[in-house]
Amino acid sequence: MRPARRRALTTAMSGVARSLVAVSIALLLSGGLIVLSGQQIGEAYGVMWTGALGSLSGLAETLRLATGLLFTSLGFTVAFRAGVFNIGGQGQYAAGSFLAAWIGFGFTDVPGWLVIVLASLAGAAGGALAALLPAFLMVRLKVSEIITSLMSSFVIVYLLEYLVIFRFPASSGEITATPVIAESAFLPLLMPPNKFSVAVILAVALVAGYALLLKRTAIGYEMEMVGSSPRFARYGGIREGRVALVSMLLSGAIIGLGGAQQVLGADHRYFSHLAYDVAFAGVVASFIGGNRPWGLIPACAFMGALQNGALQLQFFTSVPRSVADIVTGLIMLLSVAAAFPGRRRLVTWWRARQRVTA
């Protein structure tokens, strides 16, 4: 085995071992909370396992949740590896979802396959547009993209809520959702009746495409250089502003496309505040996956199982919702702490940001 491959394998195995230890510690700590809430530890964890992976319906729901996380985690990774901290996934996901829903219920006379294509393109464009202002302020005025992307998310989400309530309310009288999209635009399901759809194929294809972009293209090389060694990138003549702008827009487009797939494959309409959990959980999944393209798939599967298991814990045991959320948060926190090979990249990003703002 070549030394490079041996080092890569050793690093991967070390990451897996750290993750297993972290999850074990988190389960032990969470067990104390479960006991305090009056529930047996074995029974509670059995419910989580069975609900997430112990049946076909549970597995399908886990995969459905993982699919949405794959889009948001990939979008965050694209920006982060280029030295940009895109924390505005909530607004970008919501914008993509809303535009996809608008295409879906507004073009009912168009063939279904064309509606799917148009809605997907609209979702990607919506996500990119939502990321445009933070990207512009970052490149032109050197304003931190963390603040601008996060704040713009609140503006976008509440603007969309206004549109849903007062401009596009559901015909059934619901005020927090748009009308249902055309049935011909529903994505095919892989494990019916669960809403796990063919969107997962697109998500995995995007991961593969991004992996190839990093290894085989000039812009991928520039993204890696700017993210890992900004000083050398400047010496090499790479235009940091252009790379940052492209990575931010591409990040937003991927996240917005994920929102469109959620509408087309699962919800079939836009719901207010649908983007909160999937956007921020995608950031966690990216760090668990080491900010590496192929690491995102197992990380998102783990996160999807964790979220699904926590829901089952709330529904089928006496464990309060707050305790279930704490259990989920502990496992996320320790998993990120253990599987955090991106910490060096984060330090590099922070030092570069300090030089820019100095």
Side-chain angles (χ1 to χ4, degrees):
M1 182 180 294
R2 295 179 179 178
R5 291 185 178 180
R6 186 181 298 111
R7 286 195 299 270
L9 180 60
T10 301
T11 301
M13 294 301 294
S14 176
V16 170
R18 289 197 305 269
S19 297
L20 291 175
V21 171
V23 171
S24 300
I25 294 173
L27 290 176
L28 289 174
L29 294 176
S30 303
L33 294 174
I34 292 173
V35 170
L36 291 176
S37 65
Q39 187 73 34
Q40 295 293 326
I41 297 178
E43 180 183 353
Y45 286 147
V47 168
M48 291 183 69
W49 172 265
T50 303
L53 301 170
S55 64
L56 283 179
S57 61
L59 177 62
E61 179 64 13
T62 293
L63 293 175
R64 185 190 71 80
L65 293 171
T67 299
L69 292 172
L70 200 51
F71 282 102
T72 56
S73 63
L74 177 61
F76 176 81
T77 300
V78 168
F80 188 70
R81 288 184 71 107
V84 179
F85 209 101
N86 179 17
I87 203 70
Q90 181 183 4
Q92 294 150 22
Y93 194 89
S97 302
F98 178 82
L99 288 179
W102 178 71
I103 293 290
F105 69 74
F107 293 81
T108 55
D109 297 331
V110 178
W113 67 268
L114 184 56
V115 174
I116 291 174
V117 172
L118 292 176
S120 298
L121 293 175
L129 285 173
L132 179 59
L133 179 60
F136 175 81
L137 293 175
M138 173 186 62
V139 173
R140 286 294 185 182
L141 303 180
K142 308 302 181 185
V143 179
S144 171
E145 73 278 13
I146 297 178
I147 302 300
T148 55
S149 62
L150 182 60
M151 293 299 101
S152 65
S153 286
F154 290 105
V155 174
I156 292 168
V157 168
Y158 286 110
L159 174 62
L160 294 179
E161 185 167 359
Y162 165 80
L163 292 176
V164 170
I165 294 174
F166 295 105
R167 299 297 180 182
F168 303 104
S171 57
S172 62
E174 299 175 56
I175 62 172
T176 57
T178 62
V180 177
I181 66 174
E183 188 173 350
S184 59
F186 291 6
L187 291 180
L189 303 180
L190 296 178
M191 300 174 69
N194 185 274
K195 300 298 185 180
F196 175 49
S197 72
V198 296
V200 67
I201 300 174
L202 176 59
V204 174
L206 287 175
V207 171
Y210 177 58
L212 288 175
L213 180 138
L214 289 178
K215 291 183 176 294
R216 302 294 177 86
T217 68
I219 186 63
Y221 171 78
E222 291 177 353
M223 286 179 175
E224 282 286 270
M225 284 298 296
V226 171
S228 60
S229 304
R231 181 179 300 176
F232 288 105
R234 286 193 294 271
Y235 288 159
I238 296 175
R239 297 167 59 187
E240 289 182 85
R242 182 179 71 89
V243 172
L245 182 64
V246 169
S247 64
M248 188 71 167
L249 295 181
L250 181 59
S251 171
I254 293 173
I255 295 173
L257 180 59
Q261 302 310 299
Q262 176 70 19
V263 167
L264 296 172
D267 293 339
H268 303 145
R269 58 172 66 185
Y270 171 80
F271 287 98
S272 296
H273 302 296
L274 64 82
Y276 182 81
D277 289 337
V278 71
F280 289 104
V283 175
V284 176
S286 176
F287 284 122
I288 291 177
N291 307 119
R292 297 186 177 92
W294 295 114
L296 298 179
I297 295 177
C300 290
F302 169 73
M303 289 288 295
L306 183 60
Q307 290 182 342
N308 192 18
L311 286 174
Q312 307 307 314
L313 190 63
Q314 296 175 33
F315 292 152
F316 298 108
T317 69
S318 60
V319 175
R321 178 177 179 178
S322 58
V323 173
D325 290 340
I326 292 173
V327 170
T328 305
L330 275 174
I331 295 176
M332 287 184 185
L333 177 64
L334 292 179
S335 297
V336 169
F340 197 35
R343 57 189 178 274
R344 292 182 181 176
R345 191 180 297 273
L346 185 60
V347 170
T348 300
W349 169 84
W350 176 254
R351 289 175 177 171
R353 185 63 58 198
Q354 292 295 99
R355 288 194 296 270
V356 168
T357 55

